[in-house]
């Protein structure tokens, strides 16, 4: 198993990425405390979607608020390819899936409800556990992993 417990990497997303179109809420009053209380469970459930791939990819962040996976080195891009991750924020829990950015055709057939959760080109935001959408996201993660294998990034 290729694993690291590092909380950061030069290839990890930051607050200024396409998933985060604007600044964080000005105060905690901008987002209900009750909804944020659900975030640990949301994070845990989204992280489970990456479980089938963790043995074949490298875990580059594994903290209570971040879980990131990285694929193999790409000769084309001259760096390891970031597969995706889960990140707890102030207003939502984000699920990043980079293959859908690189290969937008993977989004074909995406349900309108899951598409409504998209921010940017490769990020899905949640404030509560949604089993049907999480199952669909799991299928999308599987398709993304298969594409990474085709590209030899696994």
């Amino acid at each position: 198993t290729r694993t690291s417990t590092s909380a950061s990497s030069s290839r990890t997303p930051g607050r200024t990425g396409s998933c985060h179109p604007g600044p964080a809420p000005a105060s905690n009053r901008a987002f209900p405390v009750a909804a944020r209380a659900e975030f640990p469970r949301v994070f845990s459930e989204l992280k489970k979607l990456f479980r089938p791939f963790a043995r074949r990819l490298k875990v580059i962040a594994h903290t209570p608020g971040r879980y990131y996976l990285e694929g193999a080195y790409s000769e084309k891009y001259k760096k390891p390819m970031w597969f995706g991750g889960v990140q707890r924020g102030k207003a939502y829990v984000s699920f990043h899936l980079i293959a859908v950015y690189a290969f937008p055709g993977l989004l074909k057939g995406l349900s309108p409800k899951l598409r409504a959760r998209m921010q940017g080109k490769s990020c899905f935001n949640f404030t509560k556990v949604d089993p049907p959408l999480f199952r669909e996201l799991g299928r999308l993660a599987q398709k993304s992993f298969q594409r990474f294998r085709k590209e030899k990034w696994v």
Side-chain angles (χ1 to χ4, degrees), residues 12-98:
T12 57
R15 284 277 315 145
T16 59
S18 64
C19 181
H20 306 283
S27 73
N28 285 342
R29 290 177 292 140
F31 200 77
V33 174
R36 286 194 305 263
E38 177 89 1
F39 287 7
R41 186 167 165 249
V42 175
F43 179 87
S44 177
E45 293 299 313
L46 287 171
K47 182 179 156 189
K48 287 177 186 177
L49 299 180
F50 284 127
R51 189 180 293 159
F53 320 115
R55 280 195 229 145
R56 299 287 311 273
L57 299 167
K58 181 179 179 181
V59 177
I60 59 173
H62 191 196
T63 69
R66 290 185 184 163
Y67 184 75
Y68 301 149
L69 295 173
E70 178 178 81
Y73 183 83
S74 166
E75 283 297 326
K76 180 179 178 180
Y77 296 106
K78 306 295 183 206
K79 63 181 179 179
M81 297 305 296
W82 191 56
F83 181 74
V86 183
Q87 181 174 342
R88 279 178 54 187
K90 291 182 181 182
Y92 40 72
V93 179
S94 299
F95 185 90
H96 302 270
L97 201 53
I98 301 311

Side-chain angles (χ1 to χ4, degrees), residues 94-115:
S94 299
F95 185 90
H96 302 270
L97 201 53
I98 301 311
V100 300
Y101 177 83
F103 308 103
L106 292 170
L107 296 171
K108 184 177 180 184
L110 196 68
S111 74
K113 286 185 177 183
L114 187 55
R115 192 170 294 275

Side-chain angles (χ1 to χ4, degrees), residues 50 53 57 69-71 77 81-85 95-108 110 118 120-124 137-154:
F50 284 127
F53 320 115
L57 299 167
L69 295 173
E70 178 178 81
Y77 296 106
M81 297 305 296
W82 191 56
F83 181 74
F95 185 90
H96 302 270
L97 201 53
I98 301 311
V100 300
Y101 177 83
F103 308 103
L106 292 170
L107 296 171
K108 184 177 180 184
L110 196 68
M118 284 189 80
K121 296 181 180 181
S122 63
C123 179
F124 301 84
L137 202 52
R139 290 189 298 271
L140 184 59
Q142 181 64 45
K143 286 174 29 181
S144 297
F145 183 78
Q146 294 305 321
R147 185 59 192 249
F148 258 55
R149 287 181 66 179
K150 182 179 178 181
E151 298 296 324
K152 308 217 183 307
W153 295 339
V154 174

